[in-house]
Amino acid sequence: MGILDGKRILVTGVLTDASIAFSVAKLAQEEGATVVLTGFGRLSLVERIARRLPQPAPVLELDVQNTEHLDTLAARVGEHVDGLDGVVHSIGFAPQTALGGNFLNTTWEDVSTALHVSTYSFKSLAVACLPLMKEGGAVVGLDFDATKAWPVYDWMGVAKAGLESASRYLARDLGKQGIRVNLVAAGPLRTMAAKSIPGFKEFEDSWPEKAPLGWDLSDTVPAAKACVALMSDWFPATTGEIVHVDGGVHAIGA
Ligand SMILES: NC(=O)c1ccc[n+]([C@@H]2O[C@H](COP(=O)([O-])OP(=O)(O)OC[C@H]3O[C@@H](n4cnc5c(N)ncnc54)[C@H](O)[C@@H]3O)[C@@H](O)[C@H]2O)c1
C-alpha cells in the first residue's frame, strides 16, 4: 500500500536526475501513483532521465510561456490518464541579469520573463489541468522562502513572493472544486536552476550551519516527500499553506 495508490499525477520540471521533480516523480511512483511528465526544451534529455524512473512515464512538451502548449495540455495528458489527482509545478527561471546582485539594474523585460515562467505559470498550469480534475485533487508548487531579501536571489525572490501570494488566491478560487493548493519551501539544493544563480555558494556555505536539523544540499528527497504527502489523502483540510522543508532555517533568527 502506498499513500498515492491509484492516483494520477502530472509532474513538471524534470531536467536532470538532480531535479526536485525527478525525486517527486520517483517517490510518487513508489507510492503507487501513475505519473505523466512534462519537459521543456530538451525533450530527448528529459526522456532519457525519465527512463531512470522505476516505471516508464510519458513525457509531454510544455513551455509555460507557450499558450498553445497550455491550451492543448489537458487533451494531451488525457491520452495517457483519464483524469488527474495531483499536479506538481516545479518550474523556475530568471535571466542572469535578474540574479546575482544586479537588482537595481534589471530591466522590466527580464523581470517579466522571471515572473511569467516562475509565478504566473503556477496559475496557468493549474487552470490548464482543471478539465482533468473534476473529482478534486491537489496542486503543489516549489517555493523558496520569500519573507526575506536574500543575497543574490534578487528578482527570483520577488517571483517567489508572487508565487506564495498566487498560491493563496488559487487556494481561494479552487477550494469549491475540492482542489487543494500548497507550496513546499525547500532549502537550497544543487540543481541546474540553482547552479545558474551567480553566487549560489553563499547559500551553500551558510545553510547547513544554520539549520537546526542540518541540511544536505544534494538531497532532494525531503522536499519530494513533502510534495508527495501534500498530494496524498493525509492533508485533506490543508490549502493555501507553505510547508518549509529547509532543515528549520526559516524558524531561526540571525
Ligand atoms: N534548487 C533549489 O535550491 C531550490 C530551492 C527551493 C525551490 N526551488 C524551486 O524548485 C523548482 C524546481 O527547480 P530545481 O531546483 O529542481 O531545478 P531544475 O533546473 O532541475 O528545474 C527547473 C525546471 O524548470 C523548467 N523550466 C524552465 N523554464 C521553463 C518554461 N518556460 N516552461 C516549462 N518549464 C520550464 C526547466 O526545464 C527545469 O525542468 C523551481 O521552482 C525552483 O525555484 C529550488
Side-chain angles (χ1 to χ4, degrees), residues 93-94 98-99 103-104 106 108 110-112 114-116 118-120 143-150 152-166 168:
F93 173 76
L99 298 159
F103 188 82
L104 298 180
T106 315
W108 165 241
D110 288 344
V111 170
S112 69
L115 295 178
H116 193 175
S118 315
T119 308
Y120 184 76
D143 183 28
F144 189 73
D145 181 12
T147 57
K148 299 171 189 72
W150 298 103
V152 306
Y153 205 50
D154 295 10
W155 287 100
M156 199 63 198
V158 178
K160 290 301 190 192
L163 180 73
E164 293 182 356
S165 180
R168 290 186 283 268

Side-chain angles (χ1 to χ4, degrees), residues 205-227:
D205 293 342
S206 59
W207 212 275
E209 277 171 34
K210 279 196 278 185
L213 291 174
W215 183 251
D216 181 347
L217 294 144
S218 53
D219 186 5
T220 51
V221 171
K225 279 188 170 169
C227 294

Side-chain angles (χ1 to χ4, degrees), residues 34-119:
T34 301
V35 171
V36 177
L37 302 176
T38 71
F40 166 61
R42 289 169 277 179
L43 277 202
S44 57
L45 172 62
V46 181
E47 279 160 1
R48 183 146 40 91
I49 300 296
R51 285 200 280 276
R52 297 182 195 168
L53 290 170
Q55 287 143 39
V59 180
L60 310 177
E61 187 175 20
L62 177 65
D63 173 356
V64 290
Q65 291 192 288
N66 183 317
T67 311
E68 196 197 328
H69 286 184
L70 287 162
D71 289 348
T72 58
L73 185 65
R76 292 185 290 134
V77 173
E79 289 172 15
H80 301 278
V81 284
D82 56 4
L84 283 174
D85 305 289
V87 175
V88 180
H89 179 283
S90 190
I91 293 170
F93 173 76
Q96 287 290 295
T97 53
L99 298 159
N102 196 32
F103 188 82
L104 298 180
N105 301 312
T106 315
T107 63
W108 165 241
E109 199 188 358
D110 288 344
V111 170
S112 69
T113 301
L115 295 178
H116 193 175
V117 177
S118 315
T119 308

